[in-house]
Amino acid sequence: MRFRFRGGEDCPDWVLAEISTISKLSSIKLKLICIQILNHIEDETVKYNVFTKLIDNNMFTLSDVKGLVAALTFMLQSALRNDVESSSLDSELQQLGFPKEHASSLTKAYTDHAQKAREALRRSSLRYPAPSIEWSVDYIATSTKHGKIDEPLINLIINGTPCTVTVAKLDVILSELKSASKSIKNIKL
């Protein structure tokens, strides 16, 4: 099945396996855990001791807690990245096997904290600064060493690194950059 919160992809098997563990929690504890996860998305650090305090230690091992937190983090981050509406998220979680109360708890935490967490994800996304490019064209008609050349050479300085290319090489670079730009624009963000 394809899910909107996964960007039109299927849910990974490891996440599906954790749903039975998540279902053992109360819906109130699940909501508190989801709020902690959304708060930690901003900090980029996960403190498992906070989660172990929220979860009954008699029912879950540390491995269970880590798997549960990883699955919930994956689901929440996927929903944030794909800008899923809360009603869609709620119905898709129920389709995955979440009990109705658990899906509602997760969705409520998502709705209440989505804007802050989404901004944190935007700030932490990979961004490249614009390159500094300087260029000049040298047209050499003849050379004592090479004889008649009659071809322009383009001198580039890209982020402080100098290079000299012919017109043919510059055409190849330009077409590859256009192809890369087109591929990037076709990627769904």
Side-chain angles (χ1 to χ4, degrees), residues 64-127:
D64 290 336
V65 172
K66 287 183 178 183
L68 182 143
V69 170
L72 290 171
T73 302
F74 179 80
M75 287 186 270
L76 289 167
Q77 283 183 337
S78 294
L80 290 167
R81 285 188 182 118
N82 292 300
D83 200 21
V84 176
E85 294 178 12
S86 56
S87 59
S88 295
L89 180 61
D90 187 59
S91 69
E92 289 182 351
L93 290 173
Q94 288 179 43
Q95 289 173 15
L96 284 173
F98 269 74
K100 184 172 176 52
E101 306 81 37
H102 287 65
S104 297
S105 294
L106 190 145
T107 304
K108 178 72 172 134
Y110 171 80
T111 304
D112 293 345
H113 296 84
Q115 191 60 35
K116 258 180 20 180
R118 199 173 283 121
E119 287 300 319
L121 286 175
R122 280 192 189 109
R123 282 192 308 269
S124 67
S125 68
L126 182 62
R127 299 188 192 276

Side-chain angles (χ1 to χ4, degrees), residues 32-51:
L32 293 172
I33 291 168
C34 289
I35 290 169
Q36 287 298 315
I37 289 170
L38 289 164
N39 288 336
H40 288 302
I41 286 174
E42 291 182 47
D43 298 341
E44 296 181 11
T45 57
V46 177
K47 298 171 186 151
Y48 288 103
N49 61 346
V50 173
F51 297 109

Side-chain angles (χ1 to χ4, degrees), residues 19-38:
I19 290 175
S20 65
T21 308
I22 294 169
S23 298
K24 293 176 186 175
L25 292 169
S26 71
S27 59
I28 294 169
K29 284 188 179 183
L30 176 64
K31 182 179 178 186
L32 293 172
I33 291 168
C34 289
I35 290 169
Q36 287 298 315
I37 289 170
L38 289 164

Side-chain angles (χ1 to χ4, degrees), residues 5 14 73 169:
F5 84 94
W14 69 270
T73 302
K169 284 184 182 179

